[in-house]
Amino acid sequence: MADTSTQSIQVLAPVDRVAAVICDFPRYPEWVDALKQIEVLEEYEDGYAARVRFVIDAGVMADDYTLEYAYADDLTRIEWHLVEPSKTQKSQQGSYDLDDNGDGTTTVTYMLEVELSIGMLGMFRRKAEKIIMDTALKQLKRRVESLLAS
């Protein structure tokens, strides 16, 4: 059974800058600690990634999987799903919702639903999800804000 988790963070940047970082998959290894390799397998006609292969190694968990992406026309929503089961995941779907706060900042809401192939006690799974989401949002915030500062 898949569990859904949602978290938000405020980024000191406009929506278009946040979306640009999220959509720049080839640069993920520069700022996503656990990501060891990434490959854009297919693109849409507009140049946005349609299918992306990820190789992660987070110490206790390593995986190789492919996600398929869809985008709102204004990039305020970027969503994905797992193309086929992987070594550790039966399914995954997620999204980033980007809300313009009207003051040059963006609230990023990250939703993730994962069904694991491996057994894990509920309390450990929830703790792992919280750590994954906290880390992802903080790394995204740090990356976007550091690019604006430079």
Side-chain angles (χ1 to χ4, degrees):
M1 182 174 156
D3 287 323
T4 302
S5 297
T6 304
Q7 286 189 34
S8 297
I9 197 167
Q10 186 170 323
V11 180
L12 304 175
V15 168
D16 63 328
R17 296 291 185 100
V18 177
V21 169
I22 293 170
C23 294
D24 191 3
F25 294 102
R27 293 197 177 270
Y28 274 36
E30 296 174 12
W31 59 275
V32 178
D33 294 337
L35 191 56
K36 301 307 173 199
Q37 184 181 348
I38 194 158
E39 180 182 5
V40 176
L41 302 173
E42 289 179 37
E43 292 182 343
Y44 292 108
E45 288 179 12
D46 59 10
Y48 287 105
R51 286 187 178 218
V52 182
R53 178 177 166 252
F54 294 84
V55 178
I56 63 165
D57 187 348
V60 296
M61 188 184 96
D63 203 2
D64 182 336
Y65 58 93
T66 300
L67 299 178
E68 185 168 306
Y69 283 83
Y71 308 85
D73 289 339
D74 61 1
L75 296 180
T76 57
R77 182 172 179 83
I78 300 164
E79 56 189 27
W80 62 88
H81 69 270
L82 188 67
V83 173
E84 60 187 37
S86 69
K87 182 172 70 171
T88 62
Q89 301 175 73
K90 289 183 183 177
S91 67
Q92 179 189 143
Q93 61 182 25
S95 63
Y96 284 112
D97 286 301
L98 310 178
D99 294 313
D100 183 342
N101 296 323
D103 60 0
T105 66
T106 301
T107 298
V108 179
T109 302
Y110 180 25
M111 185 283 298
L112 185 63
E113 181 180 296
V114 177
E115 184 175 3
L116 297 174
S117 303
I118 54 176
M120 187 180 288
L121 291 174
M123 75 176 184
F124 293 119
R125 186 178 59 241
R126 284 186 294 279
K127 182 160 181 67
E129 287 169 357
K130 180 174 179 8
I131 291 169
I132 290 166
M133 295 188 84
D134 281 350
T135 301
L137 286 171
K138 286 176 183 170
Q139 288 179 347
L140 174 63
K141 176 181 173 70
R142 185 170 46 245
R143 176 66 173 191
V144 172
E145 292 176 358
S146 71
L147 290 175
L148 270 178
S150 58

